[in-house]
Amino acid sequence: MLQLSLEHGQPTPLVEQIVGGIRNQIEDRILRPGMRVPPIRRLAETQGVSRFTVVEAYDRLVALGYLRSRRGSGFYVAPRHERSESRLPAPVDRAVDVAWLMRQALDDSPGQLKAGAGWLPCEWLDAEGLRRHLRAVSRRPDARLTAYGTAQGYLPLRQQLQVKLAEFGIGAPPEQIVLTEGATRALDIVARHLIKPGDTVLVDDPGYFNFFGNLRLQGAKLIGVPRAADGPDVAEMEALLAHHRPKVFFTHSVLHNPTGANLSPAKAFRILQLAEKHDFYIIEDDTYADFHPHTTTRLANLDQLNRVIFIGSFSKTLSGSLRVGFLAARPDLAAEFTDVKTLTSVSSSEFNEQLIYQMLTDGHYRKYVERLQGRLAQATEASLRMLERVGFEVFHEPKGGVFLWARPPGIDDAAALATRAAKAGIMLAPGKVFRPQMQASPWLRLNVAFAPHPRLERFLAEAG
């Protein structure tokens, strides 16, 4: 039985509310294949909308493959295999491929549940604030609407980042900061400059899968350092350093991707001692910094950008479309990274950087981030309760951030589970892609903003 509750006078058009409501009930199996939905006239009368609104909504649902129209009879829920979002079964080897996972995460098909994605739902972000600031910045006489940006990026934003990094205890004047098109671009610039084909690189195991793919493209040899809840296994790391003599160690200190854990002070000091002894750089990715509600240990804070290259971004908090990130390094490295940036992309978007600067300095950003932190804390609690109900083991209960690292009982490799989930319209991130050599893993990365959903709970309960 169809149940809709439309909100008249809201920003979301009534047509979209009807489409979303019916689609969700079909996805949740409340409306089954072959069931007839209410006639156009009856739905229009019961919901207090025009018949044209219902006609447009039904036409969209037919185009999306959720409904079928039978002339003279009405509209019926389509069989599952007829819907436009259904996909051919993904073979298991593709379910553990990094590019396959990224395509799954970026897929914008209706009804897909992105439980393994690395970012927040669009509706959590401040779209209205972006629109307001876009209008304000575009009217400014110094708005860079048509020109290239400067080599290092918009100076006022770099000056503001100096203030932001000082809050983390990191001293970085503007000349040591390079603005980039997101953190992924910053990582690419650093890797291009420091790593040559055949070089050995130490990485967290598990660690950030997209950067692993980037390193493989550049011909690097990846060696994993086992990751515990308080950071890398430093004893194992020391043994690997003696044997492989790597040039770079890539890691997350705060809200580690994928486990959500933080680096302990003791391990941070030991890692910096090893960097000095074995002469390697540390790339510290702090993309999720603003999701952490408390002060915590960072390698760049202890090292003050001597051997540590610090990377951040606003894609996760403000907009994935704007693609504004940054790196901070000692002066000689910052100059060399600027040259790499100029040679490979000329410049970053100064208009986007002006927009981010405006949002950081008008007093709105800090309050907005505090609201996000509170919402994430609630979502984390709900996700933990859901995982407990379905019998999953949790690696670590984070104190902030986006991720939970969990595993189902009785499974040695979660890749097949990810393949099954993809066929059901659920994007999961299997542990295998987070390992440097794609080793089998029973773990899954879950995004707490998407995880507390009945569809996911039903799927995981059946899997368990």
Side-chain angles (χ1 to χ4, degrees):
M1 184 67 179
L2 177 63
Q3 296 180 349
L4 284 178
S5 179
L6 303 184
E7 297 182 3
H8 294 255
Q10 295 300 310
T12 304
L14 292 170
V15 169
E16 293 183 14
Q17 292 186 45
I18 295 172
V19 170
I22 294 177
R23 184 183 64 204
N24 290 339
Q25 291 187 48
I26 293 173
E27 290 291 344
D28 291 340
R29 308 290 184 88
I30 297 170
L31 296 176
R32 300 279 184 169
M35 292 179 63
R36 186 187 185 197
V37 296
I40 292 170
R41 185 187 298 275
R42 185 195 306 167
L43 186 63
E45 292 175 350
T46 57
Q47 297 296 326
V49 299
S50 72
R51 285 184 294 164
F52 298 106
T53 298
V54 179
V55 168
E56 183 178 348
Y58 279 5
D59 284 345
R60 288 193 192 181
L61 288 162
V62 170
L64 292 170
Y66 285 92
L67 296 182
R68 285 193 309 180
S69 174
R70 296 180 186 173
R71 185 179 298 274
S73 178
F75 292 85
Y76 295 80
V77 178
R80 290 182 62 80
H81 65 82
E82 291 189 9
R83 297 198 202 125
S84 60
E85 86 278 6
S86 61
R87 303 170 180 82
L88 293 174
V92 172
D93 61 341
R94 295 300 291 164
V96 299
D97 177 80
V98 170
W100 179 89
L101 186 62
M102 287 300 295
R103 286 194 295 271
Q104 289 283 304
L106 294 169
D107 186 358
D108 202 26
S109 299
Q112 190 189 46
L113 179 58
K114 299 182 180 181
W119 46 79
L120 297 178
C122 291
E123 58 268 23
W124 282 40
L125 302 180
D126 187 18
E128 184 52 43
L130 281 170
R131 292 188 186 96
R132 185 171 66 253
H133 286 90
L134 272 169
R135 290 191 293 267
V137 172
S138 65
R139 290 193 293 265
R140 286 172 46 174
D142 63 338
R144 305 278 287 190
L145 294 173
T146 58
Y148 287 103
T150 57
Q152 278 190 257
Y154 186 51
L155 177 59
L157 178 55
R158 288 188 283 123
Q159 292 170 332
Q160 186 62 29
L161 286 171
Q162 178 183 11
V163 176
K164 182 178 179 64
L165 291 177
E167 295 175 358
F168 297 156
I170 302 169
E175 60 268 21
Q176 291 183 236
I177 299 172
V178 182
L179 302 182
T180 63
E181 302 93 336
T184 299
R185 180 71 178 113
L187 291 167
D188 182 64
I189 289 171
V190 172
R192 282 174 181 265
H193 183 63
L194 296 181
I195 301 166
K196 303 297 183 290
D199 284 349
T200 297
V201 177
L202 291 189
V203 295
D204 286 336
D205 182 10
Y208 179 37
F209 67 86
N210 197 38
F211 188 59
F212 292 177
N214 181 296
L215 290 171
R216 291 190 192 98
L217 281 176
Q218 301 196 47
K221 178 183 178 183
L222 277 61
I223 302 295
V225 180
R227 179 85 186 202
D230 62 346
D233 182 334
V234 290
E236 179 66 17
M237 184 178 187
E238 187 165 17
L240 292 170
L241 288 167
H243 183 70
H244 295 284
R245 302 192 63 79
K247 298 178 67 174
V248 171
F249 171 48
F250 171 85
T251 189
H252 284 89
S253 297
V254 180
L255 299 176
H256 174 253
N257 183 4
T259 67
N262 296 327
L263 180 66
S264 70
K267 287 199 171 179
F269 279 111
R270 184 62 184 137
I271 290 168
L272 291 173
Q273 289 174 342
L274 291 173
E276 187 68 28
K277 178 180 177 180
H278 293 274
D279 190 24
F280 63 88
Y281 290 109
I282 301 168
I283 304 173
E284 183 175 31
D285 185 351
D286 208 5
T287 303
Y288 299 92
D290 287 342
F291 291 144
H292 198 288
H294 308 295
T295 302
T296 188
T297 302
R298 288 178 169 85
L299 290 162
N301 164 250
L302 301 175
D303 174 76
Q304 291 301 309
L305 304 179
N306 178 31
R307 290 189 174 275
V308 175
I309 300 155
F310 186 84
I311 290 175
S313 170
F314 297 99
S315 297
K316 301 298 186 292
T317 53
L318 285 176
S319 171
S321 292
L322 292 175
R323 310 302 299 148
V324 176
F326 63 92
L327 61 85
R330 71 189 192 206
D332 59 322
L333 287 175
E336 292 164 0
F337 294 147
T338 302
D339 289 343
V340 175
K341 171 189 170 182
T342 304
L343 288 171
T344 56
S345 60
V346 182
S347 68
S348 46
S349 169
E350 187 160 309
F351 180 78
N352 288 352
E353 293 162 2
Q354 288 180 310
L355 177 60
I356 297 296
Y357 171 76
Q358 184 77 21
M359 297 190 75
L360 288 178
T361 56
D362 75 346
H364 174 78
Y365 182 76
R366 187 180 298 274
K367 293 179 181 178
Y368 160 69
V369 167
E370 288 175 355
R371 292 196 300 272
L372 277 183
Q373 291 172 355
R375 193 169 183 180
L376 282 168
Q378 294 176 349
T380 299
E381 288 299 317
S383 299
L384 288 169
R385 290 194 298 269
M386 181 272 288
L387 290 171
E388 183 178 5
R389 288 193 297 269
V390 299
F392 274 47
E393 175 188 349
V394 176
F395 176 81
H396 168 76
E397 294 190 11
K399 303 302 180 185
V402 181
F403 302 127
L404 289 175
W405 191 235
R407 68 177 181 184
I411 291 180
D412 296 324
D413 189 351
L417 186 62
T419 302
R420 288 168 51 196
K423 290 187 287 186
I426 298 172
M427 179 257 170
L428 292 180
K432 199 166 192 172
V433 299
F434 297 95
R435 305 203 63 192
Q437 308 305 328
M438 295 286 193
Q439 303 98 314
S441 171
W443 297 90
L444 292 165
R445 186 188 75 177
L446 295 175
N447 184 320
V448 300
F450 295 93
H453 194 287
R455 280 177 58 205
L456 180 63
E457 182 167 355
R458 284 196 299 271
F459 178 84
L460 295 181
E462 293 170 1

